[in-house]
Amino acid sequence: MTSPAMTISSTVRRAADPSPILAAEELPPTQHFIGGQFTGGTGSETQSLVDPGSEETICEVPQGTAEDVDAAVLAAVEAKEAWGRTLPKQRAEILLAIADRLAENADLLARLEARNTGKPLMVAEDDITNSIDTFRFMAGAARATTSIAAGEYAQDHLSVIIREPLGVVGVVTPWNYPLLMAAWKIAPILAAGNTIVLKPSEQTPLTTLKFAELTRDLLPAGVFNVVTGLGPIVGARLAEHPKVDMIALTGSVNSGRAVARAASETVKRVHLELGGKAPVVIFDDADLAAAAESLRAAGYWNSGQECGAGCRVLVHESVAEKFTGLLVEQVGSLVVGESTAGADVELGPMISKAHYERVLGHLERAQADGAKAAVGGGAMEGPGYFIAPTVLVDVPEGAACSLEEIFGPVVTVETFTTEEEALTRANEVPYGLAASVWTLNAQRSHDVASRLDAGTVWVNSHLVLANEMPWAGFKSSGYGRDLSAYSLDDYSRTKHVMHNKAR
Ligand code: NAD
């Protein structure tokens, strides 16, 4: 736990009406979903789900076994041929029907997500809106795929490229955006003609189970299956299963390594969306007020439990003091509270007690390393796993807080002198998911953006996403693209068929 010096007395906005955001009958069936049916599975262990804002237990969910995974994979194998043969138009119509069904239930899904994760309603609503649009985009993209033109590339031989589904794709999702990260996988994987076995995070399976319940009459049995449970049991079995053709994981680097190791035995494809530590490079000619305002959201959205969060500021020394003042002002006015405490609540709790203690451990270590909290710096009052939005300054070069993923409401501010130094330091993190550059000089912004080692680089912005554009990391942030038409490529295989037409 945090030392007394790190604890600040800031209060958490509590809901005026203490009744839960969700009625018990609005919960999904708390069972696995296999072959179109909810089932208790073969195990006897359960996992308690806890509302991180109130620390109340919500319900129990089964911890799946390897046998449950095998049953789900069998269902997905049995469904794959018929689903793979459907026309893009048919799959697109089903994806659009799923989008409509999610839209009809958007309020319920947002409240369910808020209840399970503790996130503010405005964040949960944004998750659901984007999940719906992911299905709509993939419905269109499935019907507009592009490829190398068919033609004669060798004498008298006509070449044709055929895009085929992979078969069964195993999916493992994290807790930070439970339905949104599931949608980023489900929509392109189904659009490309594959069937799915999905393991949600053991902490946040509720919206994924609700998705199964809501779309049960729209998808043929076995096309979409869910097995709840722990990563090293359910996720590991999916990764090693000989009948799973690809494993796609969004999660931490350690889980990515474990999945890639397990997948290597069957040489299955691996798709990894892992952690991040996005640098924010601010030059002396930048619009400092705009940068500070943008980081209010980009550094603290979802309480900083965001892989693309702008959490590692590198600001030119000549404007550092002014920028830090503006940022501290923005961060000091963030509204922290329970998800039901008002539409203006911007920050919720950490997802779990373990993660809360992990983030507090990072803050303690940062202080021991010499960093100072210009605002925030520690735990807020309970119940709930709330941590004050924090800006760390006087960060010694190489300090862990500026290099490791904290995954909480913590932004570090460091200074640089030259552009070369800024680039070297921005690229020294092991991750390569996202970065931003702030300058009004167009030549500099183009050049610096091209030299930043990250899959997404924003210029004078941060954390703005579009379903049409890819989201994919470099270096330890993994490989494989989410979103965009590129994800359809990742979830397909291309076959070259060559016809001898000599006569
Ligand atoms: P986590 O790695 O602890 O868990 C992610 C999932 O992996 C969970 O479902 C978990 O049960 C499973 N898992 C754990 N060990 C496994 C194993 N040995 N085999 C198979 N599955 C296993 O991550 P988390 O704490 O849920 O999520 C936070 C992490 O996710 C952060 O590092 C964050 O940056 C990353 N993330 C990345 C993106 C992205 O797009 N790159 C998006 C969201 C989150």
Side-chain angles (χ1 to χ4, degrees):
M1 275 298 281
T2 183
S3 65
M6 295 290 283
T7 306
I8 61 167
S9 61
S10 336
T11 52
V12 172
R13 170 109 63 87
R14 300 287 170 183
D17 175 4
S19 55
I21 191 169
L22 193 85
E25 61 274 16
E26 291 177 303
L27 287 171
T30 46
Q31 294 188 311
H32 310 300
F33 182 71
I34 298 176
Q37 303 293 329
F38 282 97
T39 158
T42 59
S44 52
E45 308 266 305
T46 59
Q47 168 97 20
S48 300
L49 303 187
V50 175
D51 177 339
S54 62
E55 301 184 43
E56 288 164 14
T57 299
I58 307 168
C59 60
E60 300 283 324
V61 173
Q63 284 194 9
T65 61
E67 291 73 35
D68 298 330
V69 175
D70 292 353
V73 171
L74 184 63
V77 167
E78 284 172 356
K80 77 176 179 179
E81 246 191 77
W83 181 252
R85 273 201 311 270
T86 53
L87 295 174
K89 177 180 190 303
Q90 292 171 306
R91 296 199 292 274
E93 279 166 1
I94 292 177
L95 293 185
L96 289 172
I98 291 175
D100 289 346
R101 187 66 57 82
L102 298 181
E104 284 155 21
N105 292 277
D107 168 66
L108 165 61
L109 287 163
R111 286 184 292 112
L112 186 58
E113 202 73 293
R115 173 77 163 141
N116 198 172
T117 60
K119 62 174 72 185
L121 259 183
M122 71 152 86
V123 179
E125 284 162 1
D126 187 75
D127 289 6
I128 307 308
T129 303
N130 286 316
S131 301
I132 295 165
D133 193 52
T134 304
F135 280 92
R136 292 203 201 292
F137 171 74
M138 290 299 166
R143 300 180 68 179
T145 48
T146 54
S147 160
I148 299 169
E152 191 173 317
Y153 297 96
Q155 191 66 45
D156 289 334
H157 284 73
L158 173 68
S159 287
V160 178
I161 293 287
I162 299 176
R163 185 193 292 255
E164 298 180 346
L166 294 165
V168 176
V169 181
V171 174
V172 179
T173 54
W175 47 256
N176 58 343
Y177 299 105
L179 186 65
L180 184 60
M181 292 301 100
W184 282 18
K185 306 291 186 213
I186 299 167
I189 292 171
L190 293 186
N194 307 284
T195 58
I196 296 176
V197 179
L198 189 153
K199 188 205 89 65
S201 163
E202 52 274 30
Q203 296 168 85
T204 55
L206 292 179
T207 44
T208 304
L209 291 171
K210 192 52 127 179
F211 176 91
E213 186 189 11
L214 290 174
T215 60
R216 192 177 175 173
D217 61 324
L218 301 176
L219 286 165
V223 168
F224 175 69
N225 306 276
V226 181
V227 180
T228 58
L230 301 176
I233 296 172
V234 176
R237 179 64 185 149
L238 271 178
E240 71 178 16
H241 200 294
K243 295 220 161 86
V244 172
D245 301 288
M246 180 180 197
I247 181 85
L249 172 132
T250 300
S252 62
V253 178
N254 274 339
S255 303
R257 282 197 196 102
V259 157
R261 265 196 305 271
S264 69
E265 275 304 309
T266 49
V267 201
K268 62 170 59 74
R269 289 200 195 184
V270 180
H271 187 285
L272 299 175
E273 292 289 346
L274 308 177
K277 183 80 177 175
V280 178
V281 182
I282 302 174
F283 286 99
D284 52 0
D285 64 339
D287 181 338
L288 300 180
E293 196 183 338
S294 169
L295 282 195
R296 174 194 183 100
Y300 301 89
W301 185 256
N302 208 31
S303 304
Q305 301 170 122
E306 155 63 57
C307 48
C311 53
R312 182 168 193 254
V313 171
L314 295 164
V315 56
H316 191 267
E317 58 190 4
S318 65
V319 293
E321 200 178 321
K322 184 167 179 211
F323 170 75
T324 307
L326 291 165
L327 181 64
V328 165
E329 203 180 307
Q330 287 285 345
V331 173
S333 65
L334 281 164
V335 180
V336 183
E338 291 181 338
S339 41
T340 42
D344 57 334
V345 172
E346 295 166 283
L347 257 77
M350 301 293 95
I351 188 67
S352 64
K353 186 152 202 277
H355 186 54
Y356 165 84
E357 284 171 356
R358 205 184 137 266
V359 174
L360 289 177
H362 271 290
L363 288 174
E364 282 181 3
R365 186 164 159 207
Q367 199 190 45
D369 285 345
K372 290 188 180 58
V375 62
M380 299 176 81
E381 58 167 23
Y385 313 126
F386 293 90
I387 291 181
T390 297
V391 175
L392 292 177
V393 296
D394 297 343
V395 177
E397 210 176 319
C401 62
S402 74
L403 294 173
E404 293 175 9
E405 185 182 47
I406 297 176
F407 225 55
V410 182
V411 171
T412 57
V413 179
E414 298 169 87
T415 60
F416 68 84
T417 307
T418 66
E419 188 173 307
E420 280 311 306
E421 182 197 349
L423 273 163
T424 304
R425 286 176 51 203
N427 288 336
E428 76 191 350
V429 285
Y431 300 102
L433 188 59
S436 63
V437 50
W438 293 79
T439 173
L440 296 181
N441 177 331
Q443 278 172 311
R444 178 194 265 163
S445 71
H446 280 290
D447 187 38
V448 170
S450 72
R451 293 168 70 196
L452 282 168
D453 220 353
T456 295
V457 179
W458 291 277
V459 175
N460 297 325
S461 188
H462 199 111
L463 210 61
V464 179
L465 272 71
N467 274 313
E468 293 80 355
M469 291 293 129
W471 180 253
F474 300 161
K475 304 196 287 186
S476 290
S477 296
Y479 40 83
R481 285 81 51 98
D482 273 337
L483 305 182
S484 79
Y486 289 119
S487 69
L488 289 176
D489 282 337
D490 286 4
Y491 296 121
S492 306
R493 59 186 195 185
T494 44
K495 181 180 283 173
H496 172 207
V497 179
M498 202 178 218
H499 300 255
N500 180 353
K501 61 185 184 66
R503 40 191 307 184

